[in-house]
């Protein structure tokens, strides 16, 4: 079978992006295209990692069946929502941008949790009339900018892990379906600090809930990017390590129980810095990410700073 960009034609896939031999993927135009389902059970659903606006359009899924004109064909239309991304760390004050032109006067505004609905804000966290805030769920939510000039950016004080997700800013405009809507995704980085001793081994803790099964994950050097891991050190398929940059990097925990903590053997000063643990969760921007800052102590006698594993 194959996947292509564009409507299915009489034969083959237009602008082919992925193909299989029936048992496994034999070619892919990019690592962004994956078949995560069980191919042997007929699940050939296409997963696109790190979706962009340019990915919008029609996709063709074609399954080759012997005989003239017997192929199974399915066209799928992909629409990509324009969602701004704001990233920050636990405890920070973060601002989600939203503004509108006030040529015709100021408007009522609401902010809510989740994607913008057709007519209203879901799970409202803040509302305004034309001039000021009229209600807010918590004193942590503020509009610190100039509302009279149309800047209704939402500031959340001292963000926590539960604050992550999509937010909707809706500006009320008279008329059917005229409201101005803007979605902003907030990503909260959970950053831990770990100290190790030069020459020893250190463990960078990371785990996830496996109640719905194990999944792919990676470790990388540097802050967590929007997609995958930067300077990848370890890859797993959910069951076992499939690739490692060096034998110094090991996952000694029980992967089936969600323990994907990274052990680094023979620490050196060059190992200092930020590490990213990224667990792939299906859906747009759903990956679980954790950043850990590693410091390496030169003095092996200062065992008080040594991390036990």
């Amino acid at each position: 079978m194959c996947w292509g960009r564009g409507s299915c034609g009489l034969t083959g896939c237009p602008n082919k992006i992925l193909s299989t031999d029936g048992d496994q993927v034999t070619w892919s135009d990019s690592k962004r295209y994956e078949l995560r389902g069980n191919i042997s059970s007929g699940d050939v659903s296409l997963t696109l990692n790190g979706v962009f606006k340019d990915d919008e359009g029609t996709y063709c899924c074609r399954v080759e069946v012997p005989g003239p004109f017997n192929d199974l064909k399915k066209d799928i239309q992909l629409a990509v929502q324009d969602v701004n991304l704001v990233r920050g760390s636990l405890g920070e004050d973060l601002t989600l941008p939203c503004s509108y032109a006030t040529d015709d006067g100021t408007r009522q505004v609401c902010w809510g949790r989740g994607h913008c609905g057709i007519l209203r804000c879901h799970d409202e966290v803040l509302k305004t009339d034309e001039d000021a805030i009229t209600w807010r769920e918590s004193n942590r939510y503020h509009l610190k900018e100039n509302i009279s000039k149309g800047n209704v950016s939402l500031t959340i004080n001292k963000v926590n892990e539960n604050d992550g997700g999509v937010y909707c800013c809706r500006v009320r405009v008279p008329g059917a379906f005229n409201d101005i809507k803007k979605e902003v995704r907030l990503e909260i980085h959970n950053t831990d600090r770990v100290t190790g001793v030069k020459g020893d081994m250190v463990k960078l803790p990371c785990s996830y809930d496996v109640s719905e099964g194990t999944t792919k994950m990676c470790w990388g050097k540097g802050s967590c990017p929007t997609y995958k891991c930067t300077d990848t050190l370890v890859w797993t398929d959910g069951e076992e390590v499939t690739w490692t940059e060096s034998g110094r990097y090991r996952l000694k925990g029980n992967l089936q129980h969600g323990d994907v903590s990274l052990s680094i053997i023979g620490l050196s000063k060059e190992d200092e810095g930020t590490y990213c643990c990224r667990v792939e969760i299906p859906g747009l921007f759903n990956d679980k990410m954790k950043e850990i800052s590693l410091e390496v102590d030169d003095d092996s006698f200062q065992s008080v700073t040594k991390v036990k594993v």
Side-chain angles (χ1 to χ4, degrees), residues 208 210 214 236 238-241 251 253-260:
Y208 67 99
V210 294
T214 58
T236 83
E239 303 296 329
E240 60 184 1
V241 174
L251 302 190
N254 191 324
L255 270 62
Q256 284 70 38
H257 292 172
D259 183 359
V260 289

Side-chain angles (χ1 to χ4, degrees), residues 113 156 159-167 185-188:
R113 295 292 300 267
I156 306 176
V159 296
N160 57 55
E161 289 182 334
N162 295 327
D163 289 321
V166 173
Y167 289 76
R185 176 170 289 275
L186 178 60
E187 287 186 358
I188 308 299

Side-chain angles (χ1 to χ4, degrees), residues 139-281:
N139 288 331
R140 296 174 55 233
Y141 302 115
H142 302 275
L143 299 187
K144 294 184 177 181
E145 307 300 333
N146 195 327
I147 297 177
S148 64
K149 292 187 177 180
N151 191 337
V152 288
S153 301
L154 177 69
T155 297
I156 306 176
N157 288 344
K158 296 182 179 179
V159 296
N160 57 55
E161 289 182 334
N162 295 327
D163 289 321
V166 173
Y167 289 76
C168 170
C169 171
R170 179 186 290 271
V171 180
R172 302 291 185 183
V173 179
F177 307 113
N178 285 341
D179 288 358
I180 299 169
K181 297 179 288 185
K182 183 173 185 179
E183 295 187 350
V184 183
R185 176 170 289 275
L186 178 60
E187 287 186 358
I188 308 299
H189 285 182
N190 181 5
T191 304
D192 287 350
R193 294 187 181 277
V194 172
T195 301
V197 176
K198 185 177 178 180
D200 282 1
M201 178 176 67
V202 70
K203 182 170 74 172
L204 310 185
C206 187
S207 62
Y208 67 99
D209 184 4
V210 294
S211 58
E212 297 184 4
T214 58
T215 185
K216 295 179 181 180
M217 64 81 55
C218 61
W219 276 94
K221 187 76 180 290
S223 298
C224 294
T226 303
Y227 170 68
K228 300 295 183 183
C229 289
T230 302
D231 294 333
T232 306
L233 305 175
V234 174
W235 263 112
T236 83
D237 60 5
E239 303 296 329
E240 60 184 1
V241 174
T242 55
W243 182 86
T244 179
E245 194 268 340
S246 164
R248 298 179 56 233
Y249 305 114
R250 300 180 186 178
L251 302 190
K252 295 187 173 185
N254 191 324
L255 270 62
Q256 284 70 38
H257 292 172
D259 183 359
V260 289
S261 302
L262 175 67
S263 293
I264 305 176
I265 300 170
L267 281 175
S268 68
K269 266 295 186 181
E270 287 71 26
D271 291 317
E272 282 192 331
T274 301
Y275 290 77
C276 170
C277 172
R278 184 183 208 103
V279 179
E280 295 189 0
I281 307 296

